[in-house]
Amino acid sequence: MTAPDGSEGRILIRDTWGTDIVNDLKPEAGDVVLYKTRFSGFYETELDSVLKTAGIKHLIVTGCTTSMCVESTIRDAFFRDYHCILLTDCTSEPISWDASRSNHDASITLVQILFGWTSTSDHFLKAIEERVQGGS
């Protein structure tokens, strides 16, 4: 892959530009930060242990690339009995400028049919607000 400065690089190499956390999402004190070395957030990371320790069973999933990291993480979550909701407008398929975008749609369809549920961020936030206002 080509880095922003034009040099050749590799993906998923810790402490390189491709693994930097964007400023708008910088962790705050007390946030858990995990480093992954493969497409799935579960593969050889502490994610499963952190979630189980916290008693978490439902995951809201966002990110990129939809057909690689997002789908791999959702599949691994499903295999570990987590319930996932993919926010379809909070994921993308920037794998290549000239590649078909059908991979994104195919991954969303797979999640809908096999691995969890999908929603848009607006619908999801509205449902949360309604639940909070309803006191449930």
Side-chain angles (χ1 to χ4, degrees), residues 1 6-7 20-24 26-27 42 61 63 69 71 73 82 87 89 97-98 113 115 118 122 124-125 128 135:
M1 115 166 110
S7 65
D20 288 344
I21 298 173
V22 288
N23 287 332
D24 290 345
K26 288 285 184 195
F42 285 94
V61 183
C69 295
E71 184 181 323
T73 299
Y82 292 98
L87 299 183
D89 58 330
W97 291 112
D98 57 351
I113 294 172
F115 299 118
T118 62
D122 286 342
F124 180 76
L125 291 172
I128 295 294

Side-chain angles (χ1 to χ4, degrees), residues 14 29 53 94 102 119 135:
R14 188 173 177 168
T53 298
S102 63
S119 177

Side-chain angles (χ1 to χ4, degrees), residues 25-82:
L25 300 176
K26 288 285 184 195
E28 296 181 7
D31 285 350
V32 175
V33 177
L34 302 172
Y35 293 93
K36 64 180 195 155
T37 59
R38 297 294 188 276
F39 296 132
S40 171
F42 285 94
Y43 182 82
E44 294 188 5
T45 71
E46 301 83 27
L47 181 57
D48 189 42
S49 174
V50 167
L51 295 172
K52 283 185 176 160
T53 298
I56 295 170
K57 293 298 291 176
H58 296 85
L59 307 179
I60 310 308
V61 183
T62 66
C64 65
T65 298
T66 313
S67 67
M68 298 302 295
C69 295
V70 174
E71 184 181 323
S72 295
T73 299
I74 289 174
R75 282 176 182 253
D76 280 355
F78 176 82
F79 298 147
R80 290 168 173 81
D81 297 321
Y82 292 98

Side-chain angles (χ1 to χ4, degrees), residues 74 84-86 88 104-120:
I74 289 174
C84 295
I85 299 175
L86 172 62
T88 58
H104 173 80
D105 296 332
S107 291
I108 289 171
T109 300
L110 281 173
V111 171
Q112 291 170 333
I113 294 172
L114 299 171
F115 299 118
W117 296 269
T118 62
S119 177
T120 63

